[in-house]
Amino acid sequence: MIQENLANSNVEVLVRQTSKKGDPYCGDSFFYTATDEYFICVLADGLGSGRYANESSAAVIDAVKQHHSEPLVHLMEKCNKEMVNKRGAAVSIIKMYFKTKTFEYISVGNIKFFLYNHRKGKMLYPLPVTGYLSGRKVKMYIQTFEYEEGSRFILFSDGLVLREIKTFLNSHSPLECIADSILESNTVQSDDMTFILGSLQ
């Protein structure tokens, strides 16, 4: 299992990832980074599993790493171009702006994202565009939302079967404890699985 953590004055994030049946190649790839102005996070799920799924998802990550300061639509267009002659991938990108406490979300495929605003008791679930990036033209649009201090979010691939999402995000437990509870609830590992869990300050 891959485990990663990030924590600064604006955001805390942790990642958990496992490959299908212990395969050395995971079809999911992820990247996140924080600047003084924003936090950006991308999760890519290559079609199928194994080496060629990893090739597709890794190409998406490389594109975002190089150009993460650009607008999200431009980023997705670059990711889409990388899918020519590859299997393709489902991709979601979130960009959170600390000063305005807003975030932008763009997604193509079956990756899910939830954010829970504690003070309002409101769950946000931006709907993705169906399909996947394949190098062909695909419909893309950005959704913009506000978040509050203390909001928690999760971004995850379809290898995670997660119920009672609000219960996890509404918890005031440390993220490590929540991640452990999520893993305990997801005992069937029939696919690559990645989730990115975060808390916003």
Side-chain angles (χ1 to χ4, degrees):
M1 175 181 291
I2 289 177
Q3 302 185 46
E4 286 195 14
N5 298 71
L6 163 73
N8 62 29
S9 60
N10 294 305
V11 62
E12 180 185 358
V13 177
L14 60 79
V15 182
R16 298 292 182 266
Q17 182 180 82
T18 57
S19 60
K20 181 179 180 179
K21 298 179 181 178
D23 193 301
Y25 292 99
C26 183
D28 296 347
S29 297
F30 64 90
F31 167 72
Y32 57 85
T33 191
T35 71
D36 291 338
E37 298 176 357
Y38 62 81
F39 166 76
I40 188 167
C41 177
V42 56
L43 178 56
D45 181 354
L47 296 192
S49 60
R51 178 178 178 180
Y52 295 109
N54 176 264
E55 180 186 54
S56 293
S57 63
V60 167
I61 300 310
D62 288 342
V64 176
K65 279 184 179 179
Q66 295 177 44
H67 305 282
H68 62 77
S69 63
E70 296 188 18
L72 292 194
V73 169
H74 292 177
L75 277 180
M76 286 292 265
E77 289 172 349
K78 291 179 186 297
C79 294
N80 195 32
K81 288 178 182 178
E82 291 293 328
M83 293 301 99
V84 175
N85 297 322
K86 295 184 178 67
R87 277 193 184 177
V91 179
S92 290
I93 310 175
I94 313 157
K95 200 167 191 178
M96 298 174 165
Y97 298 92
F98 304 134
K99 186 176 181 179
T100 59
K101 287 194 166 19
T102 58
F103 71 91
E104 296 175 340
Y105 181 76
I106 190 168
S107 180
V108 178
N110 56 359
I111 294 171
K112 294 181 179 179
F113 173 76
F114 293 86
L115 181 142
Y116 185 71
N117 281 318
H118 284 273
R119 292 178 185 171
K120 294 180 180 177
K122 184 178 180 181
M123 180 82 84
L124 297 175
Y125 172 46
L127 294 175
V129 172
T130 58
Y132 59 94
L133 300 186
S134 63
R136 299 176 181 177
K137 187 174 180 179
V138 63
K139 181 181 178 182
M140 301 179 192
Y141 61 91
I142 294 175
Q143 300 175 72
T144 303
F145 302 89
E146 295 180 349
Y147 70 84
E148 302 168 345
E149 182 178 332
S151 296
R152 287 184 164 179
F153 65 87
I154 186 167
L155 181 71
F156 58 96
S157 64
D158 63 352
L160 177 64
V161 179
L162 190 58
R163 298 179 178 85
E164 299 182 1
I165 295 170
K166 183 177 179 180
T167 301
F168 290 115
L169 297 184
N170 192 31
S171 170
H172 293 283
S173 299
L175 293 188
E176 292 274 359
C177 295
I178 297 172
D180 289 344
S181 296
I182 289 172
L183 290 172
E184 288 172 7
S185 73
N186 192 68
T187 55
V188 179
Q189 296 184 359
S190 58
D191 199 357
D192 301 314
M193 183 281 296
T194 305
F195 68 84
I196 301 168
L197 184 66
S199 178
L200 294 156
Q201 311 307 317

